[in-house]
Amino acid sequence: MLSRVVKEGIFMKNLFYKPKGAWAGDFIPYYKDGRFRIFYLHDWRDKENHGEGTAWYQVSTDNFVDYKEHGEMISRGKINEQDLYVFTGSVIESDGLYHIFYTGHNPYFPQQGKPTQGVMHAISQDLEHWIKVEEDTFYSPNDIYEIHDWRDPFVFWNEDENEFWMLLAARLKEGPSRRRGCIALCASRDLKKWEVREPFWSPSLYYTHECPDLFKIGDWWYLVYSTFSERHITHYRMSKTLNGSWIAPTNDSFDGRAYYAAKTFSDGEKRYIFGWNPTKEGNRDEGKWQWGGNLVVHEIIQQPDGSLSVKIPDTIDKKFSICHSNTFDILEGNWIIKNKEIFANAKDSYAYAIAGDMARKCKIEGNIAFDENTYSCGIILRLQEDMDSGYYIRLEPKHNRLVFDLWPRKGDCPFAVELERPIRLEAGQPYNIKIVIDDTVGIVYLDEKVAMNFRLYDFPKGKWGIFVSEGTAKFDNIGLWVE
């Protein structure tokens, strides 16, 4: 069956892509001829007007700033078909033909004694027009694995074994319910018939391992997967061989709560990771996190010990080329301003200084260094006229973490729930901070070591500034940039 293809769209101006009138999730990247072809699950969130289910759509980019819409690639099936929901998968090229392996999900099938999920196949000669090969659909064999969890196929060519391997998000039939999650393994010679084998990795840690992904840099293999057992987050593990053991690094994630189902791809030189920043219910800071949102791309950096960190892609960083005149008004505390350096001394108090209004789309960048025993310091975002309400990016040296906070907030918690990132913070060392904001989407990068996505709903505008709480700090070359 040939999927319906919507007319190609224009280049989009949203920095963090989201389809007009809809939302996106589970991005599946592929690189060809100088462009990233990014497939994704398209969610209307409007069953009454758009019907039920999700389809695969595609956008492409060569800079992560401008996106071209290519429309629908794999259409939703009917209510009585396996792929009412076209869920996550992967793209691979073999002998001049492109293959998509994806999840067909139908929540009504268990009532009919059928599996909820099956692995499905589509082919294309141009990455634009896809034909479903429905006879290639296959299911969990129901001996080792549970029958209804069989999704997110990731396919790659295993040179050592001279065959294609497929990794799947699956669950074992036996064991504690919350620890049956595993990554299943299937193998094929022809991309049509698949042999189901023993699990690729079954650590008895999680309910499931969603959206598995695998790649190699140098001597290290990296296994990427997302979980929702303890928290919603994308993890990775490291190994020198495909046989394991899979080692957990000190910081085993690329981002925080507001970044999920991330998958990677390389342009031949650099590797990037593609995830989504979720929206919140009711477009409120206190709303519950929702499925789907905006595309966010990080560049992956391999550290000397083999562990991974992320940084802002250069093309996004350079997009903000105009520096605003940043004159700080001292509102509280002892400050010394000397050229491009700003010093604050608040050893037993709070000090803050405010610059101008924030643009809807902007980047704030600078270096922050703090003295020993400093409790916290950082950046204020969208501060309101009461000089109290707003958002805060806070370095907490005593706890070795970066957090996102807002004020006022409800609940007995020290910062916005789950929005924290671990990083070793040492006194006297300058840390480069970059904060990118586009409307409600925000990302902070610290020292090319950690990144953290967040949302800003309740305060759509305001001023920005800097602060120190119970300590001393120096802010160097701190400023706001726009396009």
Side-chain angles (χ1 to χ4, degrees):
M1 183 178 73
L2 184 64
S3 67
R4 181 176 61 88
V5 179
V6 178
K7 183 179 180 181
E8 291 186 355
I10 61 172
F11 284 85
M12 306 302 293
K13 293 304 180 183
N14 291 335
L15 186 58
F16 305 112
Y17 175 77
K18 184 186 84 68
K20 184 178 181 180
W23 290 263
D26 292 18
F27 294 92
I28 299 100
Y30 186 77
Y31 187 80
K32 186 69 176 180
D33 297 331
R35 294 184 69 82
F36 276 99
R37 311 297 291 261
I38 307 169
F39 301 84
Y40 69 92
L41 310 192
H42 188 96
D43 188 3
W44 291 106
R45 296 185 186 173
D46 187 354
K47 182 178 177 180
E48 181 178 348
N49 294 308
H50 291 281
E52 185 175 6
T54 54
W56 273 38
Y57 278 56
Q58 183 190 164
V59 294
S60 66
T61 182
D62 61 2
N63 59 10
F64 307 126
V65 174
D66 303 302
Y67 290 91
K68 186 178 183 179
E69 294 183 322
H70 297 266
E72 185 180 75
M73 297 289 109
I74 302 180
S75 61
R76 297 170 287 184
K78 296 182 177 64
I79 191 74
N80 61 345
E81 294 179 316
Q82 183 66 60
D83 56 353
L84 175 62
Y85 288 80
V86 181
F87 276 174
T88 307
S90 58
V91 182
I92 189 171
E93 181 181 4
S94 177
D95 296 328
L97 191 66
Y98 300 99
H99 300 260
I100 282 177
F101 290 91
Y102 66 96
T103 307
H105 176 93
N106 192 318
Y108 303 106
F109 272 16
Q111 303 167 14
Q112 306 171 33
K114 301 177 183 179
T116 306
Q117 298 175 344
V119 172
M120 304 186 73
H121 185 200
I123 57 175
S124 172
Q125 294 183 343
D126 60 4
L127 290 170
E128 297 277 349
H129 303 83
W130 293 88
I131 300 173
K132 295 181 181 180
V133 189
E134 297 182 0
E135 62 268 25
D136 289 350
T137 302
F138 72 99
Y139 302 90
S140 164
N142 198 28
D143 52 358
I144 301 174
Y145 304 106
E146 291 186 1
I147 194 169
H148 296 298
D149 285 274
W150 195 246
R151 63 182 179 276
D152 306 343
F154 173 79
V155 178
F156 68 101
W157 174 252
N158 187 328
E159 292 184 358
D160 293 336
E161 300 295 330
N162 196 36
E163 61 188 4
F164 293 100
W165 275 18
M166 176 187 291
L167 306 183
L168 287 159
R171 281 172 51 79
L172 300 175
K173 290 186 67 175
E174 298 181 354
S177 177
R178 296 181 183 275
R179 295 184 179 275
R180 291 183 197 166
C182 68
I183 295 177
L185 173 63
C186 303
S188 174
R189 298 283 185 179
D190 59 5
L191 292 174
K192 288 186 70 66
K193 296 180 180 179
W194 292 90
E195 175 192 351
V196 180
R197 296 179 177 173
E198 294 290 320
F200 179 79
W201 190 50
S202 180
S204 299
L205 290 171
Y206 307 103
Y207 185 88
T208 190
H209 307 68
E210 294 196 299
C211 302
D213 183 41
L214 184 76
F215 61 92
K216 188 178 185 182
I217 301 178
D219 295 331
W220 288 99
W221 285 95
Y222 298 93
L223 179 63
V224 178
Y225 59 96
S226 294
T227 70
F228 52 79
S229 299
E230 301 167 342
R231 52 182 177 154
H232 287 71
I233 200 164
T234 297
H235 301 272
Y236 77 93
R237 293 294 185 265
M238 309 162 50
S239 177
K240 289 293 183 72
T241 72
L242 282 177
N243 296 323
S245 299
W246 293 97
I247 302 167
T250 301
N251 179 11
D252 74 337
S253 56
F254 300 96
D255 204 303
R257 171 61 181 86
Y259 194 72
Y260 195 69
K263 295 173 74 70
T264 78
F265 216 89
S266 172
D267 63 2
E269 296 181 2
K270 298 179 179 180
R271 181 164 289 268
Y272 299 90
I273 187 164
F274 303 72
W276 43 269
N277 180 314
T279 54
K280 284 195 164 188
E281 194 174 72
N283 295 328
R284 299 178 299 110
D285 287 336
E286 295 179 7
K288 294 181 179 179
W289 294 108
Q290 297 174 302
W291 186 93
N294 297 67
L295 167 65
V296 174
V297 182
H298 302 314
E299 181 184 337
I300 292 177
I301 304 296
Q302 186 184 52
Q303 300 298 323
D305 64 355
S307 64
L308 302 177
S309 63
V310 295
K311 67 181 287 288
I312 184 173
D314 292 338
T315 49
I316 296 178
D317 197 9
K318 295 175 182 177
K319 179 71 174 177
F320 300 94
S321 58
I322 302 173
C323 183
H324 275 193
S325 176
N326 299 309
T327 301
F328 286 87
D329 294 327
I330 298 171
L331 299 184
E332 191 73 40
N334 298 316
W335 294 83
I336 299 174
I337 300 177
K338 185 185 299 184
N339 297 325
K340 294 184 178 181
E341 295 182 336
I342 307 173
F343 300 85
N345 187 337
K347 290 185 177 180
D348 60 354
S349 60
Y350 179 78
Y352 69 111
I354 301 302
D357 292 326
M358 289 183 61
R360 184 191 69 84
K361 185 188 298 185
C362 64
K363 179 184 75 171
I364 295 172
E365 181 180 0
N367 300 311
I368 305 175
F370 48 84
D371 288 347
E372 195 170 357
N373 296 320
T374 296
Y375 187 80
S376 69
C377 56
I379 309 297
I380 305 171
L381 305 174
R382 294 183 182 173
L383 187 68
Q384 301 301 290
E385 292 299 325
D386 62 6
M387 295 299 166
D388 195 16
S389 305
Y391 305 99
Y392 298 83
I393 303 295
R394 192 166 65 233
L395 282 67
E396 296 185 347
K398 292 182 180 295
H399 301 291
N400 285 312
R401 67 188 178 194
L402 170 75
V403 306
F404 171 78
D405 202 3
L406 66 157
W407 191 260
R409 69 176 129 75
K410 295 182 180 179
D412 184 15
C413 53
F415 48 82
V417 176
E418 293 189 286
L419 291 184
E420 63 173 318
R421 299 290 291 140
I423 179 171
R424 184 172 180 81
L425 298 171
E426 299 181 359
Q429 177 179 327
Y431 290 87
N432 178 259
I433 190 168
K434 295 179 181 179
I435 304 169
V436 180
I437 305 289
D438 186 359
D439 197 14
T440 69
V441 178
I443 311 168
V444 55
Y445 296 91
L446 189 62
D447 226 33
E448 297 188 358
K449 289 185 173 63
V450 300
M452 181 170 60
N453 272 263
F454 51 91
R455 284 278 178 174
L456 314 90
Y457 284 110
D458 292 356
F459 306 120
K461 59 183 180 180
K463 299 181 183 298
W464 73 280
I466 54 181
F467 75 92
V468 180
S469 181
E470 296 181 274
T472 58
K474 179 179 74 172
F475 299 84
D476 184 24
N477 283 307
I478 193 83
L480 183 144
W481 278 259
V482 295
E483 297 176 296

